[in-house]
Amino acid sequence: MKRLGILLSGRGSNFLAIANAIERDQIPNAKISVVISNRAEAAGIAAAKNLGLPANVIEARGRKRAEQDAETIACLREHGVELVCLAGYMRLLSPEFVTAFPGAILNIHPSLLPAFPGLDAQRQALDYGVPVTGCTVHFVDEELDHGVIVLQRTVPVLDRDDEASLSARILEQEHLAYPEAIARVISGRFAIVGRRYVLQR
Ligand code: GRF
């Protein structure tokens, strides 16, 4: 059983998509060992409690990044976490955090990286005028939205789209992409060649 740790800050719909996929056996050999939020008011943390999963709040507000990261790393270790999944975790990880879980941190971002990193990716895509955007699941390194890409899913941008409608269309694809990416990474059947994630049969 691969033990997953979920880090979130808000709504938690990607966390729930992962939990549902595990329930339906779409991510074989995985279990969620702990859900951690840096915000007490995150809906995702209430959802985790509802599911009976260990749920911890490690507040970020008013604290040094190093201190909060150290506590988060300790909590993940306590629960034996082997793969960390950032699911709407609105905080940049310190280099110490990235080093603590080498090659074992994933993130999901609502654009086709390297286009539109950072905040408001859907707004950025609309403002730029791209006809196609999507989502990216990638390994996390020290740079923002930068690590090796595991997979991407595309969505069209429609003439009538606003930020809300585009975000909703991307989110549907996120909920498919993240479980699939986790299943692929857990299977271990891949190699990283340069920046390329290459499937091995
Ligand atoms: C998603 O759009 C994800 O791509 C981004 O933050 C949002 C989190 O949404 N990193 P949710 O909390 O999973 O519903």
Side-chain angles (χ1 to χ4, degrees):
M1 268 301 172
K2 199 81 159 177
R3 286 189 286 263
L4 309 185
I6 308 277
L7 263 53
L8 52 78
S9 304
R11 183 174 57 180
S13 73
N14 276 289
F15 149 58
L16 287 171
I18 295 165
N20 287 335
I22 290 175
E23 194 63 37
R24 283 189 241 112
D25 220 17
Q26 288 162 352
I27 310 179
N29 304 317
K31 66 174 261 189
I32 296 174
S33 291
V34 66
V35 180
I36 301 173
S37 171
N38 64 327
R39 290 185 186 149
E41 65 277 17
I45 210 74
K49 286 181 188 154
N50 271 340
L51 290 177
L53 292 169
N56 289 51
V57 175
I58 302 178
E59 269 290 352
R61 218 169 280 143
R63 294 180 71 191
K64 292 221 168 72
R65 186 186 307 279
E67 191 186 302
Q68 191 238 352
D69 270 7
E71 201 180 315
T72 306
I73 293 166
C75 181
L76 292 166
R77 291 216 197 287
E78 233 168 74
H79 287 89
V81 167
E82 297 156 284
L83 182 65
V84 180
C85 301
L86 309 186
Y89 189 61
M90 303 301 285
R91 210 160 153 81
L92 193 61
L93 302 187
S94 60
E96 291 73 23
F97 199 135
V98 177
T99 314
F101 292 91
I105 310 176
L106 293 175
N107 182 42
I108 186 154
H109 184 75
S111 76
L112 298 175
L113 291 171
F116 316 131
L119 290 176
D120 301 324
Q122 303 94 333
R123 176 82 257 156
Q124 292 185 55
L126 279 174
D127 289 349
Y128 198 91
V130 289
V132 176
T133 183
C135 61
T136 304
V137 182
H138 63 93
F139 285 103
V140 171
D141 63 13
E142 281 83 1
E143 289 176 53
L144 180 67
D145 299 329
H146 175 266
V148 167
I149 291 171
V150 178
L151 65 83
Q152 297 185 309
R153 293 180 75 97
T154 59
V155 306
V157 181
L158 306 180
D159 290 346
R160 59 177 155 78
D161 268 334
D162 58 15
E163 201 175 337
S165 63
L166 181 59
S167 299
R169 192 174 312 113
I170 294 172
L171 195 62
E172 276 178 30
Q173 297 306 311
E174 292 186 41
H175 295 163
L176 300 174
Y178 216 165
E180 189 183 338
I182 293 169
R184 285 192 194 180
V185 167
I186 284 179
S187 80
R189 290 194 298 270
F190 66 94
I192 293 175
V193 184
R195 272 199 57 92
R196 296 181 66 200
Y197 170 96
V198 182
L199 270 182
Q200 292 179 328
R201 307 261 161 219

